[in-house]
Amino acid sequence: MASQGDEAEQRQAVIKCESVYKIFGNNAQSLLQNAQGKIDAKDALAAGCIVGVNNVSFEVSEGELLVIMGLSGSGKSTLLRCISRLTDATGGKIFVDGQDLLTMNSKQLMEVRRDKMGMVFQNFGLLPHKTVLENIAFPLQVKGINTKDSIERAMNMAELVGLSGRENYFPRELSGGQQQRVGIARSLAVEPDIWFLDEPFSALDPLIRKEMQDEFLRLQSVLNKTILFVTHDFDEALRLADRIAIMKEGVIEQLDTPANIVLDPATEYVRKFTQEVPREKVLKIEDVMDPYDSTEEMSDIKVSKNAIIEVVAEQILSQDKAVGVVDDNDNIVGSLHSSHVINVLFGNRSQEQQG
Amino acid sequence: MPSYLKSSKAIQFGVLFIAFFLLNALIGPSESNYLWRLPPLLKDIPFLINDLVRGLMFEWMPIDVYDPSIDEYEQKPLFREITRAISSSFSFVINAVREFILGGSKTIVAFSSWDFIKENPWAVWPALPWTVVVGWAMVLGYKLQGRNLAFLTGVAGLYIAAFGQWSPSMQTLSFILIAAPVSVFLGLALGVFAYKSKAVEAFLNPLLNVAQTMPHYSYLVPIIVLFGVGDHAAALVTILFATPSMVRLVLLGLKNVPTDVVDAGRMSGCNDFQMLFRVLIPTAKRDVLIGVNQVVMQCLSMTVIAAFIGAQGLGSNLLIALNSLRIGTGLEIGICIVLIAVVFDKMSLAWANKQTDYFADLSFTKRYRHFLIMAAILVGGIVMAMIGSIIFEEDFNYFYIVPHNKGLTTAPFWQAGVDWVWDTFFYTLKSFNEWLITGVLVPMRDAYLAMPVVATFLLVMGTAYILAGLRSALIVGGFLLFIAFSEYWDRALITMYMATFAVVVSGIIGITLGAACAQNTFASKAVLLFCDFLQTFPSFIYLIPVIMLFGITDTSVLIASLAFASVPATRFTVEGLRSVPPVLQDAGSMCGVSRLQRLISIEIPIAFPHIMLGVNQTVNFALMMVIIGAFIGTIDLGQLILKAISEPQGTGIGITLGVCVAFIGLAVDQIIRTWANKRKLALGLN
Ligand SMILES: Nc1ncnc2c1ncn2[C@@H]1O[C@H](COP(=O)(O)OP(=O)(O)OP(=O)(O)O)[C@@H](O)[C@H]1O
Ligand SMILES: [Mg+2]
């Protein structure tokens, strides 16, 4: 864990937010001036304001995938729109690659968007009058790249997201999943460093969503971008995230790795949020293993400490003796007994019923 | 207000009516009683407007203008120079289009200032043969929609040419071809401004409201004063009238662009210009093009009225025909206007619904096929015209241009028909006419005129309060107050009585017809199609057949209004009833209600807000028609407006009267719209 932290410090934060606020309403400024730290939602309401984002600070490092989670209306989109400056934050500081985003003029902002940022929208946001290819090429053409080059590049992007053969279709002729592929291709066309995705798969039905998540993971493994990904689907968050930020009423309640959030919820809200989550899908072996005791008799099987419990559970359960846990270099670092796994799988629920 | 009063609208209305009748009974006519009639405090408004306009035109901001004829600078008021410049540029462009189709030399002279052309009378641009123009239009129709539209266009063109209406039709066309693009451009620009700035929107909104409800006539006088008389003035009036709906639709379309699309544009790094022209307007394309369709239809509906201030073409011919009671000719011209309207309507709608195929990679001949065909048509048409000049040596050349009123005509037939109707049904029609006038209209009018002004206010504001709430009541009261303080209260009452009569009857006709047709899918489709067709008619056209039957009387105006105003009531009723969710109908059926019960207790209440919007349009249509009816001799606000056209004080009077009519329309609109919205909210629609 400690080594991870060091790494993050060495790399420069690509996105950095320092107590960012977004308050809707006419009295936003005065409300902000009187506020110290978090603004009370009731005070805001009394002043005729709605708090969208409330004193949010965090950093995202290069190549990291941060998922922002929360219920509807918790301010996820608003936060994302602040960081892309689709709306102006009411207060706080936002840095992108060390540049202060909020002091940029519209020309600088345009440059940043043209070169560094890509965004995918929940309802796709495709231009209805343009074909797949033209839609993908649009950000390039806006930049002033000539038609031939931009279309060529768009062709490549279409192939990358699996839209070959449909380049000349119009958005209305595509299924939801295909439309979102166009959205993804368009957002990647300018080869941005930072990739924003606002509930990109929410409008899709479950099967397609799964397929698109796989697709997304495949793309990310190739491209390795810095990503802010908004979703209200916890399963999705778990599948994709390096870290998860859980928001409630504009506040980030907890920002941590999936395992830590499940194992160690910071607030009651987060605990409630995570209680239905199947732990075996989240936790890795290292999160639940016992310290290695060289006296104990071990079974022949070894499992990696990075394996997700669900994947290896059957193996472990089939053993009477404890199973050895090994790190990447095959050194034994812990042990795990099948009763412990059963506890993770079922014990949690029964504890709750008692409690 | 005590709670028992709030509990039921019926009780509230009961109380309102009792109070209303009491006031009616208690307050008698008297000059000095302000409860009877308010003093005309605002009677100077027309003069103020006149002074303002005169000041603008003749005194304000003198500038030095070079006068070549005396080779010196002269002081001239800026505003008048501007209006002059606008007038002359419009005249020039309209004339250029006209001469392109119909031939002439003025434009060429203006461009080249060749004395040679002036001196040689033979040196003119020749008119295009009608076959060429119609052929081109057919190609356009084909390109926009396909064979059907091309065919329709061809038939319309053939009719117009064969019936000797070619030149007037092309004259009408030439000013539409100017007025429509200008309106579209203005509408687009203003719509975009309103979209960009809340302040501009707030400023434009009331102006648009008034402009859309002002009767067409009332624009005429100020335009005459500012721009004179002629085709250019007609084009300007048309633009004034047609632009507001374009602004509305552009604004609506832009507002309806999904936020995701707007954000996507911004995240793609668009600058303002790219955002507007590559993201917003193309995405709103459908609404924008529907706006174009509206503009074209408005332009056509102005053809007749524009004739009042000197537009040449079908409109003025129609006026002359109607004035001299040549009903047959009037009918033929009317059909011309309708045909042009239908073709334009279909073409612009086809354009709106057309989807561009960017990527169909076409060869040169395919891509420019239409131009090639058009060129071929040009050559073919000229050759045909030449052949024609040999075939029709004695007669005029049918293949070139059929001179005005020299083609086929069915006028004698219609005239005979009218005569026959009059001979056969003279007594029936006459007695019906008399019964309507003495039995219904006159008593109704007298009753309206016998209302003391407080009673009218109580009734209208009370209704507004009960149906739409306090805010609406106050707004409506404001509108009425303006009229009551002007000199025109009595005239306004007459207008209101005619409009009320028309609205009540056409509301009943429309809703009944609509409800009946909505029971059957086929009938619904048919009736909607028919409504579409009727709505392409310029309002004036409705007068032709009723004048045939009833001559020039109030009855004609009212019957025309009925026909005109029933259309929206019918259409909205059918639409409203057809859009009731089938689940609800099934639920009703499962509860064992009969067909009629289902209609009354489920469908009508749910469709009610939409039906009310139809009634709202019915009111506006009825008002418009009643005002237009002044042309054939009713004595309400419309007639005063018409009179104002020929008066020196006309500008102010015309505008004031127009505003009065607009306020009547806006008052009704306010009540019905708020009420419908409340009902919608209560029903959880939207
Ligand atoms: N333009 C706006 N004006 C006023 N309030 C707004 C505006 N946009 C968002 N809000 C409010 O800010 C809060 C956060 O909204 P936001 O759209 O960020 O939620 P979200 O987490 O993205 O929800 P969802 O999952 O539904 O997309 C909500 O209470 C919303 O009503
Ligand atoms: Mg959202």
Side-chain angles (χ1 to χ4, degrees), chain A residues 29-47:
Chain A
Q29 280 303 333
S30 67
L31 191 72
L32 186 66
Q33 264 146 32
N34 300 333
Q36 326 247 310
K38 250 183 268 176
I39 293 173
D40 192 56
K42 278 199 198 98
D43 291 350
L45 217 55

Side-chain angles (χ1 to χ4, degrees), chain A residues 81 84 86 110 113-114 119 121-129 131 134 138 141-142 168 170 172 186, chain B residues 259-272 274 278-279 282-283 285 355-359:
Chain A
R81 289 169 62 86
S84 54
L86 282 172
M110 213 166 73
R113 284 180 181 155
R114 284 180 178 183
M119 193 171 207
F121 301 88
Q122 179 170 5
N123 295 314
F124 321 135
L126 300 182
L127 300 173
H129 59 290
T131 58
E134 289 173 310
F138 185 67
Q141 291 176 347
V142 160
N168 292 345
F170 281 93
R172 60 175 177 277
R186 177 179 64 185
Chain B
T259 43
D260 272 5
V261 173
V262 179
D263 288 348
R266 289 171 68 189
M267 284 311 287
S268 300
C270 287
N271 57 30
D272 286 353
Q274 290 168 326
R278 301 182 67 171
V279 176
T283 309
K285 178 181 154 200
Q355 291 148 1
T356 358
D357 188 3
Y358 289 88
F359 265 79

Side-chain angles (χ1 to χ4, degrees), chain B residues 489-512:
Chain B
W489 181 252
D490 279 17
R491 295 281 184 152
L493 283 177
I494 297 180
T495 303
M496 286 194 235
Y497 112 76
M498 300 233 275
T500 322
F501 180 82
V503 167
V504 170
V505 179
S506 42
I508 292 173
I509 295 176
I511 293 176
T512 321

Side-chain angles (χ1 to χ4, degrees), chain B residues 191 195 246-257 284 287:
Chain B
Y195 174 76
M246 181 75 190
V247 179
R248 279 271 150 79
L249 276 156
V250 170
L251 185 58
L252 182 81
L254 290 178
K255 280 188 170 169
N256 280 346
V257 173
D287 280 326

Side-chain angles (χ1 to χ4, degrees), chain B residues 52 94 101 111 123 156 206 279 334 340-341 365 369 373 411 431 443 495 533 556:
Chain B
L52 187 78
I94 292 173
I101 301 177
F111 266 122
V279 176
I340 296 178
T365 37
R369 190 174 49 154
I373 294 177
S431 53
T495 303
F533 180 61
S556 295

Side-chain angles (χ1 to χ4, degrees), chain B residues 588-609:
Chain B
S589 303
M590 291 311 290
C591 295
V593 293
S594 74
R595 194 70 201 81
L596 191 65
Q597 281 173 324
R598 195 172 92 189
L599 181 69
I600 291 172
S601 60
I602 298 179
E603 294 174 358
I604 288 194
I606 289 179
F608 185 76

